[in-house]
Amino acid sequence: MRRIRMIVAYDGTDYCGWQIQPNGMTIEEVLNEKLKKLTGEDIHVIGASRTDSGVHARGNVAVFDTESPIPPERMAYALNQKLPEDIVIVRSDEVPEDWHPRYQHDVRKTYEYHIYNAPVMDPLKRRYSTFVSFPLDVEQMRQGAAYLTGEHDFASFCNVRTNVESTVRKVEELEIRQSGRDITIRITGSGFLYNMVRIIAGTLIRAGRGFYTPEKVKEILEARERTEAGVTAPPEGLVLVEIRYGAQNMQSSEVHRR
Amino acid sequence: MRRIRMIVAYDGTDYCGWQIQPNGMTIEEVLNEKLKKLTGEDIHVIGASRTDSGVHARGNVAVFDTESPIPPERMAYALNQKLPEDIVIVRSDEVPEDWHPRYQHDVRKTYEYHIYNAPVMDPLKRRYSTFVSFPLDVEQMRQGAAYLTGEHDFASFCNVRTNVESTVRKVEELEIRQSGRDITIRITGSGFLYNMVRIIAGTLIRAGRGFYTPEKVKEILEARERTEAGVTAPPEGLVLVEIRYGAQNMQSSEVHRR
């Protein structure tokens, strides 16, 4: 038995998120089904990040155990032949059999939240950006964002449904880039609370509109109360860009899909 | 009776092109149907560019005649309330009743052809870029493209199904931009032959692969024979970016969709 690790990219538009659930198709379900077709085994993948319905990924990570003779590095190519075109295995390798994608020290995750800020929506951006029609002041957004970097109690930026021991997290980088009408919030940290990135995005959009002063973002953080922050921004703007595992990143080069 | 002009943007992925046809939904059909709902009249839009199945637009132009009391500049907003989210009216205005979007002097059209050049496809790019997995040499593509600017007989870059009086066209600008793994061929001219931009893209991709020397592009042009050029590149990479009508461009500012 070998444990195979995969970097998984997907367009989340047509999926009910990562995790298997009764009411719709999920990324996890498609991977299990196609791996069964490929190997003949009952395979259950374990994902690093159980992304929500409609959220995208360029670099989610998953593992599974198999007796298949397919070489670990070739698994990406073999599986891509069976997957629909909105799910792609970027690469694959072998890891120790106790390696778990959610229980590792020294993990860094990077997300991007994409906003299209223009008077009218561009239909070519609608699947991967959130449309904001009122003009956003990016400098105000940056000033508000500055209060969120570092280690803080992010209780105000955590969905109330969450049941976690601690709501303290460390945001290592939080950068806002503008290119024409595209605004990207890029955020890196060791871990995020449930809906944290989307609540930060919703709050910074309010700061960009002028509804909040940058200092209000600091007050929201200090209040440790979800009701203080802005709305959870919609899922289509969010992409899980990368998960880095300290010394245990993948070394193999990318495989070719075709 | 007034003639209304619209700038139309669409994600062509799920449409059988612009022009009404029996075997699938088209942009023209959706616009006629939604305009009928909006005005109660039997409306037939006339498009500037009858884009092919799967081709996108940020700036196609269409006109229609109506007795509707909706102010011409508000027509965009009103129609957007009824359109599916993959078709957006960017703006609207009134033009003289004999103004026709296809029969104007001093027209310039700009297209972009988008290529994603990487070992593995990015599922977030697949709808709007053509995937090329073998490395492309952009400098070779640029050298080949240089032979195509200016006025030439583009018979080699014209689908054989075309029945036009002359295959001479003038390419005013042909630029190739690279940003990471994204390569964009941007081309502007007064008019293009059927499939001309996609055959140019297919030919320049061959030059980028090293299948053609840049000088081979010149030979293909001079041969005036469709069979000499590269394959027609797929539709998903193509976007009609803009149509400019000399002095008769739209002056009104963009409307708000919501």
Side-chain angles (χ1 to χ4, degrees):
Chain A
M1 191 71 88
R2 293 198 282 209
R3 178 155 283 200
I4 308 292
R5 175 170 64 171
M6 308 183 289
I7 295 181
V8 188
Y10 44 88
D11 175 345
T13 309
D14 299 328
Y15 294 94
C16 295
W18 177 274
Q19 197 166 18
I20 288 178
Q21 54 123 303
N23 302 317
M25 189 56 66
T26 64
I27 307 294
E28 186 181 11
E29 189 176 348
V30 173
L31 290 173
N32 287 349
E33 179 198 308
K34 300 303 183 188
L35 279 165
K36 181 168 188 170
K37 282 198 181 162
L38 185 66
T39 64
E41 303 165 299
D42 275 323
I43 283 184
H44 302 281
V45 301
I46 304 168
S49 183
R50 288 163 289 188
T51 53
D52 273 344
S53 184
V55 170
H56 316 291
R58 285 213 162 88
N60 206 343
V61 171
V63 298
F64 63 92
D65 298 323
T66 180
E67 307 272 9
S68 167
I70 297 171
E73 285 76 14
R74 291 289 293 172
M75 194 59 83
Y77 177 85
L79 187 52
N80 280 335
Q81 308 312 306
K82 302 201 177 291
L83 287 170
E85 58 173 22
D86 52 6
I87 306 178
V88 171
I89 309 302
V90 181
R91 41 183 183 267
S92 55
D93 67 358
E94 185 172 356
V95 285
E97 61 185 21
D98 62 348
W99 193 91
H100 192 290
R102 285 201 296 278
Y103 309 125
Q104 295 295 321
H105 298 290
D106 196 13
V107 177
R108 292 172 81 224
K109 290 184 181 180
T110 299
Y111 285 90
E112 284 181 357
Y113 196 88
H114 296 275
I115 299 160
Y116 181 67
N117 187 31
V120 188
M121 187 52 177
D122 179 341
L124 304 187
K125 305 237 174 184
R126 76 188 194 289
R127 290 170 70 100
Y128 311 117
S129 292
T130 293
F131 173 49
V132 178
S133 63
F134 29 79
L136 295 176
D137 183 329
V138 173
E139 202 38 58
Q140 295 285 302
M141 294 172 72
R142 287 188 181 125
Q143 288 178 29
Y147 294 110
L148 302 178
T149 53
E151 191 169 277
H152 303 285
D153 183 342
F154 283 95
S156 296
F157 297 90
C158 173
N159 194 295
V160 287
R161 286 189 285 155
T162 311
N163 193 356
V164 288
E165 283 184 26
S166 164
T167 48
V168 173
R169 293 291 183 278
K170 187 177 178 187
V171 170
E172 292 176 23
E173 289 178 288
L174 177 44
E175 189 188 7
I176 303 178
R177 298 173 186 173
Q178 186 171 29
S179 170
R181 293 166 161 182
D182 298 302
I183 297 170
T184 301
I185 301 168
R186 189 178 166 96
I187 185 165
T188 297
S190 56
F192 296 92
L193 299 164
Y194 184 56
N195 276 350
M196 180 170 153
V197 179
R198 287 168 56 190
I199 299 169
I200 288 175
T203 302
L204 294 179
I205 287 169
R206 288 209 169 182
R209 282 184 77 166
F211 281 7
Y212 293 160
T213 60
E215 294 69 34
K216 172 74 180 167
V217 177
K218 183 166 184 267
E219 290 168 25
I220 291 168
L221 181 69
E222 289 169 352
R224 298 175 198 183
E225 198 52 70
R226 170 67 187 95
T227 52
E228 292 295 310
V231 297
T232 305
E236 65 267 22
L238 187 62
V239 185
L240 169 57
V241 173
E242 190 186 41
I243 305 176
R244 294 184 65 85
Y245 290 103
Q248 273 195 296
N249 278 305
M250 261 187 222
Q251 299 304 318
S252 61
S253 62
E254 287 185 337
V255 297
H256 281 252
R257 182 175 169 93
R258 290 191 181 88
Chain B
M1 189 71 89
R2 292 199 282 210
R3 178 155 283 197
I4 308 292
R5 177 170 62 173
M6 308 183 289
I7 295 182
V8 189
Y10 43 88
D11 175 345
T13 308
D14 298 329
Y15 293 95
C16 295
W18 177 274
Q19 196 165 20
I20 288 178
Q21 53 122 305
N23 302 317
M25 189 56 67
T26 64
I27 307 296
E28 186 181 11
E29 189 175 348
V30 173
L31 290 175
N32 287 349
E33 179 199 307
K34 300 304 183 189
L35 280 167
K36 181 168 187 168
K37 282 197 181 160
L38 186 64
T39 65
E41 302 165 300
D42 274 324
I43 283 183
H44 302 282
V45 302
I46 304 170
S49 184
R50 288 163 288 189
T51 53
D52 273 345
S53 184
V55 171
H56 316 291
R58 287 209 161 92
N60 206 344
V61 171
V63 297
F64 65 92
D65 298 321
T66 181
E67 307 272 9
S68 168
I70 298 170
E73 285 75 15
R74 291 289 292 173
M75 194 59 83
Y77 177 84
L79 188 52
N80 281 335
Q81 308 311 307
K82 302 202 177 288
L83 287 169
E85 60 174 20
D86 53 5
I87 305 179
V88 171
I89 310 301
V90 181
R91 43 183 180 266
S92 55
D93 66 357
E94 186 173 354
V95 286
E97 61 183 21
D98 63 346
W99 193 90
H100 192 290
R102 285 203 295 279
Y103 309 126
Q104 295 295 323
H105 297 289
D106 196 13
V107 177
R108 291 172 80 224
K109 290 185 181 179
T110 298
Y111 284 90
E112 283 181 358
Y113 196 88
H114 296 275
I115 299 160
Y116 182 67
N117 188 31
V120 188
M121 187 50 178
D122 178 341
L124 304 188
K125 305 234 174 187
R126 77 188 194 289
R127 288 170 71 99
Y128 313 116
S129 293
T130 293
F131 173 50
V132 177
S133 63
F134 27 81
L136 295 176
D137 183 328
V138 172
E139 202 38 57
Q140 295 283 303
M141 294 173 73
R142 286 187 182 127
Q143 287 178 28
Y147 293 112
L148 301 178
T149 52
E151 190 169 276
H152 302 286
D153 183 341
F154 282 96
S156 294
F157 297 91
C158 173
N159 194 294
V160 285
R161 287 190 284 155
T162 310
N163 193 357
V164 287
E165 282 183 26
S166 164
T167 48
V168 174
R169 292 291 183 278
K170 188 177 178 185
V171 170
E172 291 175 24
E173 289 178 288
L174 177 44
E175 191 188 5
I176 303 177
R177 297 173 187 173
Q178 187 171 28
S179 171
R181 292 164 163 184
D182 298 301
I183 298 169
T184 301
I185 301 168
R186 188 177 166 97
I187 186 165
T188 297
S190 55
F192 295 93
L193 298 164
Y194 185 56
N195 276 350
M196 182 170 150
V197 178
R198 287 167 57 189
I199 299 168
I200 287 175
T203 302
L204 294 179
I205 288 169
R206 287 208 169 183
R209 284 186 77 166
F211 281 7
Y212 293 161
T213 60
E215 294 70 33
K216 173 72 179 169
V217 177
K218 183 166 183 267
E219 289 169 26
I220 290 167
L221 181 69
E222 290 170 349
R224 300 176 195 181
E225 194 56 69
R226 169 68 188 96
T227 53
E228 290 295 309
V231 295
T232 305
E236 64 268 24
L238 188 61
V239 185
L240 169 56
V241 173
E242 188 185 42
I243 306 177
R244 294 185 66 82
Y245 291 103
Q248 275 195 295
N249 277 307
M250 261 187 224
Q251 299 304 318
S252 62
S253 62
E254 286 184 339
V255 297
H256 281 253
R257 182 175 170 92
R258 291 191 182 89

